[in-house]
Amino acid sequence: MSVFDVVFGKPLATSAEHDEHIGVAAGIPIFGLDGLTSAAYGPEAAMQLLVPLGIAGVSAYLLPVFSCILVLLAIVYLSYRQTIEAYPNGGGSYTVASENLGDGAGLLAAAALMIDYILTAAVGISAGVTALVSASDGTRISHTMHHYQLAFCLLILIIIATVNMRGMKESGFAFMLPTFIFVGTLVTTIAWAAYQYWATGGHPVAVAPPPPPEVGVSTFTKVGLVWLLMKTFASGCAAMTGVEAVSNGVTAFREPRAKKANQTLTIIIGMLIVMLYGLSWVAKIYHVTAMNPDAHNYQNVLSIEVAAVFGRGWFYFLTMGGVLAALSFSANTAFADFPRMARAIALRDYLPHVFILRGRRLLFSHGIYALTGFTALILIIFNGVTDRLIPLYAIGAFLAFTLSQAGMVVHWLHTKDAKHRFVKLFFNGLGAVATGITLIVVLVAKFTSGAWVTALLVPFLIIIMTTIKRHYRRVKLETADPTPLRLSGLEDPIVIIPMARWDKISEKAMRFGLLMSETVKVVHIHGDEQDALGCVWDKMVADPVREANRTLPELITVSSNYRTILSPLMDYILKLEDENPGRKIAVLLPELVVRHWWENLLHNQRVQILKLLLLLKGNQRIVVVNIPWYL
Amino acid sequence: MSVFDVVFGKPLATSAEHDEHIGVAAGIPIFGLDGLTSAAYGPEAAMQLLVPLGIAGVSAYLLPVFSCILVLLAIVYLSYRQTIEAYPNGGGSYTVASENLGDGAGLLAAAALMIDYILTAAVGISAGVTALVSASDGTRISHTMHHYQLAFCLLILIIIATVNMRGMKESGFAFMLPTFIFVGTLVTTIAWAAYQYWATGGHPVAVAPPPPPEVGVSTFTKVGLVWLLMKTFASGCAAMTGVEAVSNGVTAFREPRAKKANQTLTIIIGMLIVMLYGLSWVAKIYHVTAMNPDAHNYQNVLSIEVAAVFGRGWFYFLTMGGVLAALSFSANTAFADFPRMARAIALRDYLPHVFILRGRRLLFSHGIYALTGFTALILIIFNGVTDRLIPLYAIGAFLAFTLSQAGMVVHWLHTKDAKHRFVKLFFNGLGAVATGITLIVVLVAKFTSGAWVTALLVPFLIIIMTTIKRHYRRVKLETADPTPLRLSGLEDPIVIIPMARWDKISEKAMRFGLLMSETVKVVHIHGDEQDALGCVWDKMVADPVREANRTLPELITVSSNYRTILSPLMDYILKLEDENPGRKIAVLLPELVVRHWWENLLHNQRVQILKLLLLLKGNQRIVVVNIPWYL
C-alpha cells in the first residue's frame, strides 16, 4: 500500500458506491456542523448591536429578536422538509430554482451559493483559528501564535480537504466527536442555568460575574430603535446559514434517502433552536452584554456565559475547546455540499465538466480541489483574518433560501396530484416571503459593510457561467454528427517529413511516410552550414526507391537567411496546404526520446515547438504524426 | 518595428556577418575592459597585504612586486601575440589546450575559464555597484542604496546582457566612452603626479593628504617576509586576469583578423602596464597605504591617490565615476568571450549543442543567456556582495594561461616549418613556466581563503562535460545510419482510435484511420454511464463500412471499474503491442483545438496526458497521430 493510499484511502470501485452512503449519525456532523456552530457566533453578532442599549436592552429585546429568528428558522425548516421529499435526488437551491424558475434563477442561486460555500469554509476555519490564537493572548507563545495564524488556517484546510478526499463516510466519523462535545457542553450549560434559575427562584448568581457594560446607555428615537433592531435581526440571521446543507446532499444518504435526510435535518434544527434560544435566555438571566472586540480583555459572549454558569473550571475549558474544534471544522459542510452543487451545475453545462467526474474515492474530487483552492486563496489574501467577510455570506445564504422556496411554490403549483398540496404550497410560500423579506433587510442593513461585494460578485459569476455554457453549446453544435461514417473521397494525404540529416530516425520516418502515401515530400532547411542531406540523398534514398519501382519522394531544400528552422518550415507547410485544397497534409515529426529528463537539455526542443505551432496555426487538414525514436 | 526589435535590434541575415566584425577601436572596450579595470583593484589587493609593513613597506616592496607582475604580464603578452597569429580562427585556452595537449587538458582549461568568466561578470558588476553604494555612505539615501544593492547589480546585468544581444559592434560602441574616461583620467593622474614629482624635486605635496597608516609596523622573520611578499604577489596577480580575452575572440575582428587582434592586445596591455606601474609609483611617492576595509571612513587606494594628486574637485569625481562605470561594465568582456568559448566546447560535444546556434543578431545567443543566468544566480546567492569570490577567479585565469602556453609549446614543436620557431617556442615556454609557477603560488597563498572552491568545481564541471560528450556519442552511435533506405517489410500498422462518442471528431479520426490501414481498432472505455458508442456503432460505422465492402473496424469496449480512462487504455495499447511483435501500432488521437486558452479549462486534457504517457511508456513500434479538430 502506497503512502498515497494511506493518506487518501484506497481507490473504490464504482460498485462500492452503496457502502459509501451515510446514515443520520454521520449526517449530523457532515451537514450540520455549519448550521450548529452558528449558535456560537449568532447571539454574539446580534448582541454586539444591542450594546448601546445596555443590560436593559438585552433584557427587553434579545429574546424577542431571537424569537423572530427562530420562527423564521422553523418556517425554513418546514419548507426544506418538503423540498427534500420532493427532490430525493438532491434538492439544492440550484436544482430547485433552475427546474422551477428557469435557468436565470438557477444561475442566481448557483452564484449565491458558490460565494456562500467558499466564504463559509474560509470564515469557519479562520474563526476557529482566531479563537485559538486569542486563547494564547498574554502567554509567552502569543506572538508566535499570531505570526502563524495563516499557517494554522491552511493546516486545518489541508486536514479537512484530506479527510474529505477519503470519502463522505470517513469525514462523518472524523468530525462526530467535536460535534458531540460542542452540542453536549452547550446544552449542559443551558440546562444547568435553567436548574439554577429554578433553584434560586429566578435570580441565579454568576459563578464568574460578567463584566459590566462598557458604554453608557444611549437614547434612541423610535425610528432609530427600529433600525437598530432590524440590524440586530439581520446580524442574528447569520445563525441561519447552513440550513440548506442537508437538502443539497440528499443523495449522500442511505435509502430511504429522503427519510434519513429529513431525520438529520430535524435533529440539526432541533439542536440549533435549543442552543440559540437557550443561549439568548442565559444571556438575559445572567445579565450578559457583549464586549467591545477591541478591548484588551475581550471575551466573547459564549465565554462569559459559560464562565457565569460554571466558573472557569475544567468544564469551561472543555466547552471552549469544543467550540474551537467545531468552528474550525464547520468548513466541512461546505466540502460536503460544494462538490455536489458544482456537479449539478456542470451537468447543465454551466461549469467545466470535470466537476462531473468522480475520483478514486467516488467523490467529485475536482469540486474539493476547487473549493480548497478558492478557500486557500481567500485565507491567503486576508492573511487568515476573515471577520470582515461575515456580512458577505448571509446574503448568499438568504438569496439561495428565497429562490429555493419560490421554486418550490412553482413546483407545487405544477404538481397537481401531490398530497396536501395547498398546505405545502402555503409553507413554501411563507418561507419564500419570510426569507425574501429577510434578504432585503440583511442587504439594506449590511450593504455598506460588505454586502455590496456579493452584489457585484454574483453577476460576475453568472457571466462566467453563461460564457461556459455558450462554449459547450458551440462545441456540441459544431461536433455533433448525426450522420453515419462517410467513406467517399478517402485520398492519401501529402506526407511532409522535415529532415536535417540521414540517420536511423530519418529512415524510420521515411518508411512510415512511404506506408502512408505515394506523395512524400522531405523538407530540408538549409542554413549557412554544408548541405549534408543533399549529398547523400541519391545514394541513401532515391536509388533504393527507384530500384523498388516506387514513386520517388521529393527533396525540397529551403535556404534560411536568418538561421531559423521553424519559420521557413511552417511557411512551406502552410503554402503547400494552401496550394492543395481538399487534400490532407500529414506532417511526420521524427522525435528523439531520451532516457533521463536532463538529457532533453542536450537536444533542441524544436520538435515540441513545431508540434505546438502546427496545433496553433494549423487547420482541419493538417495532421501531425509523431515518430518517436527511443535511445 | 516591434518593441522587441527596438530593444534587441532587427534580425541580421547570415550574409550580413561581415558588417558585424569589429576594429581595434571597438575591440578595446569589448575585450579590454576586464583587463584594464584590474588597474583599479590590483594595486589595492597587493597593498592590503603590505599594511603590516607600514609606509616603509610600500616604499620598499610595492614597486618590486609590481615589477615582477609586469614582467610576467609582458611574457604572457608576447605568448598570446604568438597564439593569436597561430590561431586566427580563435585561439582561446580551450582550443589551444585541447588541440595540442588533448581533450583532458582542454576540459581542464574549459572548466577553469567557465568559472573565471562567470565570476568575472559577477565580481565586476558587484564591485562597481559596491563602489557606487559606498559613495552614498553618510548621505540620506545610504540606507536605501544598501537595500537595493542586489537590484542595482541585476539592473546592470540586464543592461549588459541586452547590449550584448544587439551584437558585438553595438556593445563596442556602448562601452567606449566609459573605457575612455577610465583610462584617460587615470593616465592624467599619473602624468600630473610625475610632473609634480619633477617640479618639486622628488617631494610632491599631497593636495588631500593620505590618511596615516592605521596599524603599527610589525616585524617579520625572513621566512615570514618572503611568505608575505608571495601573498602580495599572488594578490596583485588578480590584475592580470582578462589578458586572454582577445585571443579567444579573434574571429570577432575584421580582416586581417590576427593583425587587428594583436594591435588591440598591444594597446590594452600597454595601457594596463602604464596604469599598474604608474599607480604603484604614485602610491610610493605620495606615501599612500591601504586602509582597513572595515574602517568607517574607508577609502580605497585609488580614491586616496587621486585625492592626493588633484584634491577632491570635479576631476576627482569624474575619475571615480569613470572607475565605477568601467568596473560595472567590465563584465562585458565575459559576455564577449563566454559564448565563443561555449561554442568551441559545444562543437566538440562537451556542452549542449544550442551553444553552437547563432541567434537573430548573429551571436551565440544561448551563451549569453547561460552567462546571464549563472551570473544572476551568483549575484542573488551572495546578495550582490561578491568580495569573497575574488580569490576564486585568479586560479581559473592562471590555470587557463598555463594550459594555453603549454599547448603553444607543443604546437611549435609540431609545426616544423614556422618562421623563428625557436624564438616562439622560447617565449611560450617561458610563459608556461612563469604562469605555472604563479598558479602554484596563487593556489597555495589563496587556498584557505576560497581557492579550494575552484579546486572542487573544476572536476565537477569536467564530469558534467564528459557526461554530455558520452550522451552525444551514444546518440550518434545509435542513430547513425550508413545504409540506404530499406523498403522491405513495409506492413500497414494496426490503428488504434480511442473513442468516447460518435461525433465529427471521431468521424475524422475514423476516416484517417481507414486510410492508414486495414486493421482499425476503436477502443471505448466504458465507466458507469451508459454505453453511448455501442448503441450507435452499427448504424454509424459498421453499416456504411459493410456497404463499401471494406474491412470492418473492430469495436473494443473496456469497462473501467475505477472510472479511470487512461490506465485501461494504456494497458490495452501495450497488450496489443505485446501480442503483435513486429507490427507498428499507430494510435490516432482526436484532439479538440479551442480558440482561446481559457477554453482548455473546460475540456479535460486527457489527450495531452495520453500523448505524454505514450511517449514515456511507448517504444519504437508505437507511433502517435494527432488528429486536430478546430472549432
Side-chain angles (χ1 to χ4, degrees):
Chain A
M1 205 153 82
S2 69
V3 177
F4 192 84
D5 282 354
V6 173
V7 176
F8 294 107
K10 279 196 262 191
L12 294 174
T14 310
S15 54
E17 181 167 14
H18 182 77
D19 301 334
E20 278 296 292
H21 286 156
I22 58 169
V24 176
I28 292 169
I30 291 176
F31 295 109
L33 256 181
D34 181 24
L36 289 172
T37 50
S38 316
Y41 54 81
E44 163 99 24
M47 284 169 71
Q48 282 291 348
L49 286 156
L50 291 178
V51 165
L53 298 177
I55 292 179
V58 173
S59 287
Y61 300 114
L62 185 62
L63 280 186
V65 167
F66 262 89
S67 301
C68 292
I69 293 172
L70 293 183
V71 168
L72 186 61
L73 184 57
I75 294 171
V76 172
Y77 162 67
L78 290 173
S79 306
Y80 268 112
R81 272 193 77 94
Q82 298 179 175
T83 310
I84 290 170
E85 270 166 32
Y87 286 90
N89 291 321
S93 302
Y94 170 71
T95 313
V96 175
S98 54
E99 288 202 1
N100 296 297
L101 303 175
D103 276 7
L107 289 182
L108 197 58
L113 275 178
M114 275 196 272
I115 296 170
D116 183 28
Y117 284 137
I118 294 168
L119 288 176
T120 300
V123 172
I125 291 173
S126 158
V129 170
T130 304
L132 176 71
V133 168
S134 306
S136 79
D137 278 353
T139 67
R140 256 187 305 168
I141 55 164
S142 160
H143 183 74
T144 318
M145 296 286 278
H146 278 277
H147 189 72
Y148 288 109
Q149 169 125 8
L150 176 60
F152 283 127
C153 287
L154 295 178
L155 181 70
I156 289 181
L157 176 63
I158 290 168
I159 292 173
I160 295 174
T162 309
V163 170
N164 272 280
M165 290 299 295
R166 295 178 62 97
M168 267 288 163
K169 228 172 164 174
E170 305 235 3
S171 74
F173 290 133
F175 300 124
M176 217 176 263
L177 186 67
T179 314
F180 180 77
I181 295 175
F182 173 77
V183 174
T185 49
L186 288 190
V187 169
T188 307
T189 304
I190 294 163
W192 186 251
Y195 169 75
Q196 289 291 325
Y197 185 77
W198 173 78
T200 58
H203 298 286
V205 182
V207 180
E214 279 175 40
V215 285
V217 179
S218 318
T219 46
F220 284 87
T221 61
K222 219 163 200 175
V223 176
L225 187 64
V226 169
W227 177 235
L228 183 76
L229 292 179
M230 263 177 66
K231 286 205 285 183
T232 308
F233 173 78
S235 288
C237 280
M240 282 180 59
T241 58
V243 172
E244 83 293 349
V246 178
S247 69
N248 192 22
V250 185
T251 48
F253 286 92
R254 262 199 296 279
E255 292 289 356
R257 276 183 199 170
K259 207 176 150 198
K260 298 259 177 207
N262 264 337
Q263 286 170 354
T264 308
L265 181 64
T266 306
I267 294 172
I268 293 170
I269 300 296
M271 295 196 296
L272 181 58
I273 288 178
V274 168
M275 288 194 291
L276 279 179
Y277 196 84
L279 289 172
S280 304
W281 179 75
V282 170
K284 183 182 168 178
I285 63 166
Y286 280 91
H287 309 296
V288 174
T289 49
M291 288 179 74
N292 178 1
D294 298 329
H296 82 103
N297 58 346
Y298 169 72
Q299 289 181 63
N300 63 27
V301 167
L302 202 65
S303 161
I304 298 172
E305 287 183 11
V306 180
V309 176
F310 279 107
R312 292 177 195 282
W314 64 268
F315 189 82
Y316 170 82
F317 289 103
L318 177 68
T319 311
M320 290 297 113
V323 171
L324 284 190
L327 269 179
S328 308
F329 295 131
S330 68
N332 187 54
T333 302
F335 275 87
D337 273 344
F338 182 88
R340 278 160 204 283
M341 186 183 69
R343 172 175 179 269
I345 305 173
L347 278 175
R348 288 169 189 255
D349 292 342
Y350 282 111
L351 278 183
H353 285 167
V354 279
F355 289 119
I356 301 172
L357 302 177
R358 288 199 292 178
R360 50 205 295 286
R361 294 285 286 183
L362 285 163
L363 296 150
F364 308 112
S365 331
H366 287 83
I368 297 180
Y369 305 151
L371 181 60
T372 309
F374 283 120
T375 306
L377 189 71
I378 287 183
L379 286 172
I380 290 167
I381 291 175
F382 290 87
N383 206 19
V385 183
T386 55
D387 306 6
R388 290 205 286 158
L389 303 179
I390 292 176
L392 274 69
Y393 80 110
I395 306 289
F398 275 92
L399 185 52
F401 286 167
T402 310
L403 288 167
S404 164
Q405 310 309 321
M408 286 308 292
V409 170
V410 176
H411 175 80
W412 298 128
L413 286 177
H414 291 176
T415 318
K416 299 261 152 68
D417 53 347
K419 259 196 283 184
H420 312 303
R421 186 174 152 226
F422 287 102
V423 178
K424 290 170 171 171
L425 189 66
F426 170 76
F427 275 114
N428 281 129
L430 187 66
V433 173
T435 52
I437 292 171
T438 312
L439 172 64
I440 294 166
V441 172
V442 174
L443 197 58
V444 171
K446 297 279 174 183
F447 195 81
T448 50
S449 53
W452 61 272
V453 178
T454 310
L456 282 181
L457 267 179
V458 166
F460 178 68
L461 287 176
I462 291 177
I463 290 171
I464 289 180
M465 288 190 284
T466 46
T467 310
I468 291 173
K469 170 87 166 189
R470 204 178 310 127
H471 171 82
Y472 279 127
R473 197 187 298 136
R474 187 159 61 84
V475 171
K476 211 170 182 178
L477 267 177
E478 287 189 27
T479 64
D481 189 358
T483 57
L485 179 61
R486 287 170 303 117
L487 287 164
S488 57
L490 281 181
E491 193 185 3
D492 269 358
I494 300 175
V495 169
I496 297 179
I497 307 177
M499 200 177 284
R501 69 193 70 81
W502 180 252
D503 56 17
K504 286 192 183 150
I505 313 178
S506 311
E507 187 184 26
K508 184 178 176 188
M510 276 302 284
R511 282 172 58 89
F512 204 86
L514 290 170
L515 255 180
M516 280 181 74
S517 173
E518 290 281 294
T519 325
V520 176
K521 289 171 193 286
V522 173
V523 186
H524 178 58
I525 307 292
H526 181 53
D528 46 352
E529 76 286 353
Q530 205 198 343
D531 181 0
L533 188 59
C535 307
V536 299
W537 179 258
D538 277 338
K539 184 181 151 213
M540 293 303 190
V541 182
D543 291 347
V545 173
R546 270 192 217 102
E547 269 170 44
N549 277 322
R550 297 185 68 124
T551 319
L552 200 65
E554 191 184 347
L555 174 65
I556 291 121
T557 307
V558 181
S559 82
S560 168
N561 287 331
Y562 292 92
R563 300 162 303 283
T564 49
I565 305 290
L566 296 178
S567 70
L569 192 58
M570 279 302 294
D571 289 347
Y572 176 78
I573 295 170
L574 294 176
K575 202 184 98 220
L576 195 74
E577 187 260 16
D578 203 44
E579 288 169 356
N580 293 276
R583 278 198 83 172
K584 283 211 163 50
I585 313 275
V587 183
L588 265 61
L589 297 179
E591 180 174 6
L592 190 74
V593 183
V594 294
R595 281 195 214 151
H596 312 285
W597 66 267
W598 60 265
E599 290 174 322
N600 282 313
L601 299 174
L602 304 183
H603 300 275
N604 60 57
Q605 300 302 307
R606 275 191 199 127
V607 173
Q608 307 306 326
I609 303 170
L610 192 56
K611 273 188 212 171
L612 196 68
L613 280 177
L614 282 167
L615 205 64
L616 292 176
K617 297 193 175 180
N619 59 37
Q620 301 289 33
R621 287 192 288 117
I622 298 180
V623 159
V624 175
V625 183
N626 299 314
I627 315 274
W629 178 276
Y630 292 82
L631 280 177
Chain B
M1 205 153 82
S2 70
V3 178
F4 191 84
D5 283 354
V6 173
V7 176
F8 295 106
K10 280 196 262 190
L12 295 173
T14 310
S15 53
E17 181 167 14
H18 182 76
D19 301 334
E20 278 297 293
H21 286 155
I22 58 169
V24 176
I28 292 169
I30 291 176
F31 295 109
L33 257 181
D34 180 24
L36 290 171
T37 50
S38 318
Y41 55 81
E44 163 99 24
M47 284 168 73
Q48 282 290 349
L49 287 155
L50 291 179
V51 165
L53 298 177
I55 292 179
V58 174
S59 286
Y61 301 113
L62 186 61
L63 280 184
V65 167
F66 263 90
S67 300
C68 292
I69 293 173
L70 294 183
V71 168
L72 185 61
L73 185 56
I75 295 171
V76 172
Y77 161 68
L78 291 173
S79 306
Y80 269 113
R81 273 194 76 93
Q82 298 179 176
T83 310
I84 290 170
E85 270 166 33
Y87 286 90
N89 292 319
S93 303
Y94 170 70
T95 313
V96 175
S98 54
E99 288 202 0
N100 296 298
L101 304 175
D103 276 7
L107 288 182
L108 197 57
L113 274 178
M114 276 197 271
I115 295 170
D116 182 28
Y117 284 137
I118 293 168
L119 288 176
T120 300
V123 172
I125 291 173
S126 158
V129 170
T130 305
L132 176 71
V133 168
S134 307
S136 79
D137 278 353
T139 67
R140 257 187 306 170
I141 55 165
S142 161
H143 184 74
T144 318
M145 296 286 279
H146 278 277
H147 188 73
Y148 288 109
Q149 169 124 8
L150 177 60
F152 283 125
C153 287
L154 295 177
L155 181 70
I156 289 180
L157 176 62
I158 290 168
I159 292 173
I160 296 173
T162 309
V163 170
N164 273 280
M165 290 299 294
R166 296 178 63 97
M168 269 286 161
K169 230 175 165 172
E170 305 234 2
S171 74
F173 290 134
F175 300 123
M176 218 176 263
L177 186 67
T179 314
F180 181 77
I181 294 175
F182 173 78
V183 175
T185 50
L186 288 190
V187 170
T188 307
T189 304
I190 293 162
W192 186 251
Y195 170 75
Q196 290 290 324
Y197 185 78
W198 173 78
T200 59
H203 298 285
V205 182
V207 180
E214 281 174 40
V215 286
V217 179
S218 319
T219 47
F220 283 86
T221 62
K222 220 162 201 178
V223 175
L225 187 63
V226 169
W227 177 236
L228 183 76
L229 291 179
M230 263 177 66
K231 286 204 285 182
T232 309
F233 172 79
S235 289
C237 280
M240 282 181 57
T241 58
V243 173
E244 82 295 348
V246 177
S247 68
N248 193 20
V250 185
T251 48
F253 287 92
R254 263 199 295 279
E255 291 290 356
R257 275 184 201 170
K259 207 178 151 196
K260 297 260 178 208
N262 265 337
Q263 286 172 353
T264 309
L265 182 63
T266 307
I267 293 173
I268 293 170
I269 300 296
M271 295 197 295
L272 182 57
I273 289 179
V274 168
M275 289 194 291
L276 280 179
Y277 196 84
L279 290 172
S280 306
W281 179 75
V282 170
K284 182 182 169 177
I285 62 166
Y286 280 90
H287 309 296
V288 173
T289 49
M291 289 178 74
N292 177 3
D294 298 328
H296 81 105
N297 58 347
Y298 170 73
Q299 291 179 63
N300 62 28
V301 167
L302 203 64
S303 161
I304 300 172
E305 287 185 8
V306 180
V309 177
F310 280 109
R312 293 178 194 282
W314 64 270
F315 189 83
Y316 171 82
F317 290 102
L318 178 68
T319 311
M320 290 297 113
V323 171
L324 283 191
L327 269 178
S328 309
F329 295 132
S330 68
N332 186 55
T333 302
F335 275 86
D337 272 344
F338 182 88
R340 276 159 207 283
M341 185 184 69
R343 171 174 179 270
I345 305 173
L347 277 174
R348 287 167 188 254
D349 293 343
Y350 283 111
L351 278 182
H353 285 167
V354 280
F355 289 118
I356 301 171
L357 302 177
R358 287 199 293 177
R360 50 204 295 286
R361 295 285 286 183
L362 284 163
L363 296 150
F364 309 111
S365 330
H366 287 84
I368 296 180
Y369 306 151
L371 181 60
T372 308
F374 283 119
T375 307
L377 190 70
I378 287 184
L379 287 172
I380 290 167
I381 290 174
F382 290 87
N383 206 18
V385 183
T386 55
D387 305 6
R388 290 204 287 158
L389 302 179
I390 292 176
L392 273 71
Y393 78 111
I395 307 288
F398 275 92
L399 185 51
F401 287 165
T402 311
L403 288 167
S404 164
Q405 309 309 322
M408 286 307 292
V409 170
V410 176
H411 174 80
W412 298 126
L413 287 177
H414 291 176
T415 318
K416 300 259 152 71
D417 55 346
K419 258 196 282 183
H420 311 302
R421 187 174 150 226
F422 288 101
V423 178
K424 290 173 172 169
L425 190 65
F426 171 76
F427 275 114
N428 282 129
L430 187 65
V433 173
T435 52
I437 292 171
T438 312
L439 172 64
I440 293 165
V441 171
V442 174
L443 197 58
V444 171
K446 296 281 173 182
F447 195 80
T448 49
S449 52
W452 60 272
V453 178
T454 310
L456 282 181
L457 267 179
V458 165
F460 178 67
L461 288 176
I462 291 177
I463 290 170
I464 289 180
M465 288 190 285
T466 45
T467 310
I468 290 173
K469 171 87 166 189
R470 204 177 311 127
H471 171 83
Y472 279 127
R473 196 188 300 136
R474 186 160 59 84
V475 172
K476 211 169 181 179
L477 266 177
E478 287 191 26
T479 64
D481 190 359
T483 57
L485 179 61
R486 288 170 303 117
L487 287 164
S488 58
L490 281 182
E491 194 185 1
D492 270 357
I494 300 176
V495 169
I496 297 178
I497 308 176
M499 199 177 286
R501 68 192 74 79
W502 180 252
D503 56 17
K504 286 190 183 151
I505 312 178
S506 310
E507 187 184 26
K508 185 178 177 188
M510 276 302 283
R511 282 172 57 89
F512 203 86
L514 290 171
L515 255 181
M516 280 180 71
S517 174
E518 290 281 293
T519 325
V520 176
K521 290 173 192 286
V522 173
V523 186
H524 178 59
I525 307 292
H526 181 56
D528 46 352
E529 75 287 352
Q530 206 198 342
D531 181 0
L533 189 59
C535 307
V536 299
W537 179 258
D538 277 339
K539 183 179 150 218
M540 293 302 190
V541 182
D543 292 347
V545 173
R546 271 191 216 102
E547 270 169 45
N549 277 322
R550 298 185 67 123
T551 319
L552 199 65
E554 191 184 347
L555 174 66
I556 292 120
T557 307
V558 180
S559 81
S560 168
N561 287 330
Y562 293 91
R563 300 164 300 284
T564 49
I565 305 290
L566 295 177
S567 72
L569 191 59
M570 279 303 294
D571 290 347
Y572 176 78
I573 294 170
L574 294 176
K575 203 184 96 220
L576 195 74
E577 188 260 13
D578 204 46
E579 288 168 357
N580 293 276
R583 278 198 81 172
K584 283 211 162 51
I585 312 275
V587 183
L588 265 60
L589 296 180
E591 179 173 7
L592 190 73
V593 183
V594 293
R595 281 195 215 151
H596 311 287
W597 66 267
W598 59 265
E599 291 174 321
N600 281 314
L601 299 174
L602 305 182
H603 300 276
N604 60 56
Q605 299 302 308
R606 273 187 201 132
V607 173
Q608 307 305 326
I609 303 170
L610 192 57
K611 275 188 211 172
L612 196 68
L613 281 177
L614 282 167
L615 205 63
L616 292 176
K617 297 192 172 179
N619 58 36
Q620 301 288 32
R621 287 193 287 118
I622 298 180
V623 159
V624 175
V625 183
N626 299 314
I627 315 274
W629 177 275
Y630 292 82
L631 281 178

